[in-house]
Amino acid sequence: MTEMYMIAICDDDVAACAEIERHLLAYARTENVQLEAEVFLGGKELSERLKKPGIHFQLLFLDIELGDTDGITVGNMLREELANERTQIVFISHRQEYAIQLFQVRPMDFLVKPISYERICSIMKLYERLHPEKKLFFAFRKGRNTCQIAQDEILYVKCDGKKIRLFTTYGEMDFYGKMADAGSQLDGDKFWVIHKSFIINVDYVSAFGKEAVRLINGEYLPVSKSCRRNVMEKLQERRAVREGEEGRYVRI
């Protein structure tokens, strides 16, 4: 699927959260974009959510004066502890005198309450200008939460009974689902079915064999008889557009 904006709103003022969420959903309807906003009423709750694998918010509307902590502390945790520079932070406050403290957190913008629909629109347009590239994402539900991960960060997908396991560049995560549904989201040019239980991202394959593939991390995954012909045909097509690709077909 194409990118869906995953946005977090963190403010201990319920009315302020509702106002921002309402403006964001109105923007999504007007601009015909996919958007999901998740509300947090405390910084500690948000921090715990950010630490979970598979969680990636593109935008974070973060109040500075939170009841249980402060937004600057949460922002520093995101940048320093989690080394997350991808999530853009928009600080919100009733006051304007925070410029020096905010500098190290590298926010995208700063909003003073009350926040109008027009200001939310300008924030969204600014984000789109800063991030013109459109990535493909894989989305899934885990409990009550919607998670998404960039497809180019997935090494392979494994079906393990009723669970789908994602093996990514930064770890493993799982959720309940069906392999067919998972495969339908993935880019067919890069993700190949090699077995009823495995879908691989060919960008992370170091060698293709008749009965197995070797990933760049040294793992071996089986190629089933029923998938072998299709894998070989795809490999031949890939060779036609990539010189030297044939060097990746070896006996393993």
Side-chain angles (χ1 to χ4, degrees):
M1 62 179 292
T2 54
E3 184 170 17
M4 175 173 69
Y5 292 117
M6 299 288 291
I7 299 175
I9 305 166
C10 184
D11 196 319
D12 57 355
D13 183 339
V14 176
C17 289
E19 180 180 50
I20 296 172
E21 183 177 23
R22 184 171 64 253
H23 291 333
L24 286 168
L25 294 177
Y27 174 85
R29 289 192 297 270
T30 301
E31 299 295 326
N32 193 30
V33 297
Q34 296 185 76
L35 182 152
E36 183 167 316
E38 189 169 347
V39 171
F40 300 87
L41 299 178
K44 292 182 179 178
E45 179 191 8
L46 172 62
S47 296
E48 290 304 310
R49 181 91 163 92
L50 291 170
K51 292 175 182 178
K52 292 182 178 180
I55 305 305
H56 171 51
F57 294 109
Q58 285 95 331
L59 270 171
L60 168 56
F61 289 88
L62 181 58
D63 187 30
I64 294 177
E65 302 96 355
L66 295 167
D68 57 352
T69 182
D70 65 86
I72 297 173
T73 298
V74 176
N76 277 321
M77 182 277 296
L78 183 73
R79 296 293 190 236
E80 303 303 324
E81 182 181 337
L82 300 182
N84 182 339
E85 298 288 346
R86 296 180 300 172
T87 298
Q88 295 286 358
I89 299 174
V90 178
F91 280 112
I92 53 181
S93 176
H94 285 291
R95 301 184 293 174
Q96 294 183 337
E97 63 270 20
Y98 287 102
I100 299 300
Q101 297 100 307
L102 301 184
F103 180 76
Q104 290 185 331
V105 185
R106 300 176 289 283
M108 187 179 81
D109 211 332
F110 180 88
L111 298 178
V112 178
K113 298 177 182 178
I115 300 168
S116 67
Y117 172 69
E118 289 71 23
R119 286 295 286 130
I120 292 296
C121 288
S122 69
I123 291 294
M124 296 303 297
K125 293 297 185 184
L126 174 60
Y127 179 86
E128 291 172 358
R129 289 198 301 273
L130 293 175
H131 301 272
E133 71 284 354
K134 295 297 182 182
K135 279 192 171 186
L136 292 177
F137 279 78
F138 181 90
F140 58 96
R141 298 286 296 181
K142 192 168 180 65
R144 294 182 297 173
N145 300 318
T146 297
C147 305
Q148 69 173 8
I149 177 174
Q151 292 192 20
D152 59 13
E153 294 176 347
I154 300 173
L155 280 68
Y156 67 94
V157 182
K158 179 181 180 181
C159 179
D160 188 3
K162 294 183 178 181
K163 278 190 175 182
I164 302 296
R165 299 189 183 277
L166 301 178
F167 294 82
T168 75
T169 54
Y170 51 82
E172 179 187 345
M173 58 196 73
D174 60 57
F175 62 95
Y176 288 99
K178 297 179 179 179
M179 195 64 153
D181 295 336
S184 67
Q185 282 198 63
L186 297 168
D187 178 3
D189 289 335
K190 287 191 174 184
F191 287 87
W192 300 358
V193 178
I194 62 168
H195 188 280
K196 67 179 181 179
S197 298
F198 293 98
I199 301 176
I200 58 166
N201 183 342
V202 294
D203 287 345
Y204 292 100
V205 175
S206 62
F208 293 86
K210 184 178 180 181
E211 298 181 351
V213 298
R214 184 177 66 226
L215 304 184
I216 59 174
N217 63 4
E219 285 188 78
Y220 288 82
L221 300 178
V223 178
S224 67
K225 287 184 178 180
S226 60
C227 296
R228 194 170 297 160
R229 180 175 180 179
N230 188 50
V231 169
M232 294 305 298
E233 288 176 352
K234 282 180 172 289
L235 186 58
Q236 292 292 339
E237 292 172 4
R238 199 170 174 86
R239 285 173 178 168
V241 295
R242 289 192 175 186
E243 290 187 9
E245 192 73 26
E246 62 274 10
R248 296 169 68 190
Y249 181 75
V250 298
R251 290 186 179 277
I252 56 176

